[in-house]
Amino acid sequence: MRLQYPDTIRVVRVPCTGKVDIIHILRSFEKGADGVYVVGCMEGDCRFNNGNIRAKKRVALAKKILDTIGIGGERVQMFNLSSAEGPKFAQYAVEMTDKIKELGANPIKKAFKKKAA
Amino acid sequence: MIVAEKKPMEEIIEEVKGYNKILIAGCNECVTVCEAGGKKEVQVLASALRMYFMNQGKEIKIDEVTLERQCDHEYLEEIRNIIDQYDAVLSLACGVGVQFMAEKYFTTPILPGVNTCFLGATEERGFWTERCQACGQCILARTGGICPVSRCAKRLLNGPCGGSTKGKCEIDSNVDCAWQLIIDRLKALGRLEQDYEKLTPIKDWSTDRAGGPRKVVREDVRI
Ligand code: SF4
Ligand code: SF4
């Protein structure tokens, strides 16, 4: 199956979403990402029992931190799908890209541009 | 171990704003185990603070270090040659570590990044409970290994009180009555007669906080 999804997305492969830590999400923003989303297996279907539940909690905490520091928690999101749902992967990619476009660039980049100007 | 909790990010921002060069210092011991002030927490906090200030258009230097312990001279000495590069240190160690560092680096503000809570155990990941208040005269031998000083709301030595109901404490129906636990365990040990039926005399609280700040001196190991 060949599916198109927006080319602004950089895919980072991990063995399980349980590997994704808060620091990975935060560092992405620190380095200028406009949004981050984690795509995991369906809840209850984790090969490592609860990797995706851990990821969900970490995404929730990352959201809270990003809200507190003024970056905006809505820039992080978790999606769940089964490995047979390729079209959903593409659909989530479009959804997330649209949402980030609406929110605009990472405010850190904006703050620095303003300063440089 | 000493159990601590992360301070809210908002409070930390208030503490550190106004400084331009900040070192965030974690501790590899208790606060790492209770996931409040270890290397991982240092990384997350440093990244979040850097972004907070960047977002304000401020360039603040925020560095990270995690020491083996902050309650021992030898590990605190490891930052002696870099401490002058910073206006302030945000220590994620327990209150002991924060103070010990402050004593050593007298002219650098050392700020606390966690709330130190109690001496306790990890019941399960993400859930810690109190077990000891360091009273300085341990009575666990007579109380079936359950501490009424830390676990009975009234610190009763001859309990339970009249508020004990169905095994729970009168302060909260989710809290076990320490004295119910003591009696149950003494029964299981077959020691109810020896340990429970005898009245416990008034405890010498001078070894607790009532006697002021405490110290332990061991001439046999001092050099
Ligand atoms: S009796 Fe004192 S030293 Fe023993 S566990 Fe209780 S508080 Fe700690
Ligand atoms: S109910 Fe039990 S634990 Fe609570 S104060 Fe009374 S004796 Fe102590």
Side-chain angles (χ1 to χ4, degrees):
Chain A
M1 199 185 314
R2 280 179 182 277
L3 293 165
Q4 291 276 324
Y5 63 85
D7 61 2
T8 45
I9 291 169
R10 162 124 183 254
V11 178
V12 180
R13 280 197 270 175
V14 286
C16 168
T17 49
K19 175 77 190 145
V20 180
D21 226 322
I22 299 164
I23 190 63
H24 302 130
I25 302 175
L26 294 187
R27 286 246 170 89
S28 311
F29 284 99
E30 211 182 323
K31 290 188 173 165
D34 300 315
V36 173
Y37 68 106
V38 179
V39 186
C41 300
M42 299 303 286
E43 284 184 20
D45 280 346
C46 177
R47 187 184 279 257
F48 304 102
N49 297 337
N50 45 24
N52 49 4
I53 307 290
R54 287 187 203 281
K56 180 181 170 182
K57 295 204 163 182
R58 290 170 188 160
V59 166
L61 183 55
K63 266 182 188 292
K64 203 172 151 231
I65 293 174
L66 290 168
D67 270 332
T68 310
I69 60 177
I71 309 291
E74 65 278 23
R75 292 176 182 274
V76 196
Q77 196 156 337
M78 170 110 192
F79 294 99
N80 299 84
L81 46 71
S82 84
S83 52
E85 294 178 302
K88 251 199 181 158
F89 183 88
Q91 179 201 324
Y92 289 151
V94 174
E95 261 177 43
M96 191 66 190
T97 310
D98 287 348
K99 187 166 149 194
I100 297 300
K101 271 192 190 143
E102 216 171 277
L103 292 169
N106 179 338
I108 295 179
K109 286 192 286 190
K110 280 195 253 171
F112 267 76
K113 246 186 230 146
K114 230 192 317 181
K115 223 183 140 210
Chain B
M1 67 171 161
I2 295 175
V3 179
E5 245 183 330
K6 293 189 277 187
K7 273 190 183 288
M9 189 75 71
E10 294 85 345
E11 187 181 338
I12 291 182
I13 290 171
E14 274 307 305
E15 269 183 21
V16 302
K17 73 175 190 205
Y19 297 109
N20 293 315
K21 287 171 279 172
I22 302 160
L23 178 66
I24 304 186
C27 178
N28 254 338
E29 300 280 355
C30 312
V31 289
T32 294
V33 181
C34 63
E35 302 185 51
K39 191 174 175 187
K40 272 192 171 188
E41 289 74 33
V42 169
Q43 288 177 332
V44 168
L45 189 57
S47 176
L49 287 177
R50 274 193 294 266
M51 282 195 274
Y52 172 80
F53 289 115
M54 274 191 239
N55 198 18
Q56 314 255 311
K58 285 187 212 148
E59 270 174 87
I60 305 279
K61 173 181 157 94
I62 297 177
D63 290 341
E64 306 166 22
V65 69
T66 298
L67 303 176
E68 198 51 40
R69 281 198 286 284
Q70 292 191 24
C71 51
D72 265 317
H73 288 296
E74 59 197 288
Y75 302 112
L76 282 179
E77 282 299 329
E78 288 172 3
I79 55 167
R80 179 161 308 276
N81 54 353
I82 56 164
I83 192 97
D84 289 339
Q85 299 170 22
Y86 302 98
D87 303 333
V89 178
L90 179 64
S91 164
L92 302 196
C94 71
V96 179
V98 176
Q99 293 182 64
F100 215 39
M101 190 184 288
E103 285 166 35
K104 199 175 263 300
Y105 302 114
F106 204 62
T107 54
T108 305
I110 315 290
L111 312 162
V114 303
N115 290 324
T116 305
C117 303
F118 50 75
L119 302 184
T122 311
E123 299 248 8
E124 55 190 68
R125 189 167 175 201
F127 179 38
W128 296 271
T129 50
E130 183 165 21
R131 286 290 184 279
C132 174
Q133 291 199 341
C135 74
Q137 283 282 347
C138 194
I139 57 166
L140 288 175
R142 295 198 308 275
T143 57
I146 291 147
C147 169
V149 178
S150 57
R151 300 184 67 185
C152 166
K154 294 174 188 153
R155 284 186 154 198
L156 294 180
L157 298 183
N158 294 290
C161 72
S164 179
T165 310
K166 293 193 186 123
K168 299 295 173 186
C169 174
E170 67 174 342
I171 62 156
D172 183 338
S173 59
N174 294 312
V175 174
D176 288 327
C177 166
W179 275 98
Q180 184 69 55
L181 298 177
I182 292 170
I183 289 165
D184 291 346
R185 182 124 201 279
L186 288 177
K187 257 190 216 158
L189 295 171
R191 293 192 59 91
L192 211 49
E193 200 60 41
Q194 296 103 299
D195 293 336
Y196 184 65
E197 295 302 336
K198 265 192 253 139
L199 276 186
T200 304
I202 292 171
K203 190 167 160 40
D204 173 7
W205 289 106
S206 67
T207 58
D208 189 76
R209 266 288 300 157
R214 296 167 284 177
K215 58 182 162 201
V216 172
V217 183
R218 283 273 309 275
E219 291 302 345
D220 59 329
V221 291
R222 277 185 117 180
I223 300 168

